[in-house]
Amino acid sequence: AEQLTCETNADRTMQIRALILENTFLSLPRLVPSALPILGPFAFLCHQKWDSASKIGLIPHRIPILMMSGLLDEVVPKEHMQCLWQLVIRRGTTAEEKEKEETIKERKLEDTETPPLEGKRYTIFEHARTNSMYAEFEGGAHSKTPSYQGSDMILMSSSCR
C-alpha cells in the first residue's frame, strides 16, 4: 500500500487499474503482539512500520481493491483485514458520509450454490461506491488463500466489473 500511494501521488493513477490484498496486516508493530507474543511488550521498538492502515486511505477511491482473508491465518489475525476493509470503504468520503452507515452487500455461498467449493465456504462483501470486494475464506490460511478453491471465481467476478 505504501508503494502504491507513492505512485498515485506521483500522478501515475492511470497506470494502476486495481489492487489485490491477501492476508495483510494493519502495521508491523500492531502485528507483533499476535505473531510473536513474547515480543509484544517491545513492539514499540519496531522501527519498520509498514503501516497499511495509514496508507490505504490515500489510495484513490476510483481504484478498486479486492481483499482476500483466510480465517485460519496463523500469522495475520482476521481482525487486521476486517479493519483494513472498513478503511477501504471509507476512502474518498466526506465527514458526513463517514457518519452514515453504508449498505454492504453480503453473500454467504453454500455448498449447493457453488459445487466447485467442495464443502468449503466463504463470505463476500461488496461495496458499490468504491467498486471493491472483501472475501473471507473459512478454510484459508496464510499464503494459501489464492489456492483455496473458489478464490479464482472471486478474481474472475471482480475482473468482470
Side-chain angles (χ1 to χ4, degrees), residues 91-142:
R91 292 178 300 149
T93 57
T94 64
E96 288 177 8
E97 291 172 327
K98 286 182 182 180
E99 290 178 13
K100 294 180 183 176
E101 271 299 311
E102 294 215 45
T103 305
I104 298 173
K105 185 177 169 186
E106 178 181 345
R107 298 186 298 205
K108 284 201 183 276
L109 301 175
E110 301 297 330
D111 308 328
T112 55
E113 296 177 54
T114 54
L117 293 179
E118 297 177 8
K120 297 179 182 175
R121 294 186 176 93
Y122 58 91
T123 304
I124 299 173
F125 300 89
E126 296 175 284
H127 188 257
R129 186 181 54 76
T130 60
N131 197 22
S132 296
M133 293 176 68
Y134 172 58
E136 289 184 334
F137 293 87
E138 288 182 14
H142 193 75

Side-chain angles (χ1 to χ4, degrees), residues 10 20-21 26 29 31 43-44 46 55 72 77 80-81 86-87 91 97 107-108 119 132 137 141 151-152 154 158:
I20 299 175
L21 298 176
L26 291 166
L31 178 66
F44 70 94
C46 185
K55 304 295 183 190
L72 298 180
H80 283 238
M81 285 291 284
Q86 293 304 312
L87 295 170
R91 292 178 300 149
E97 291 172 327
R107 298 186 298 205
K108 284 201 183 276
S132 296
F137 293 87
S151 61
D152 54 338
I154 291 172
S158 63

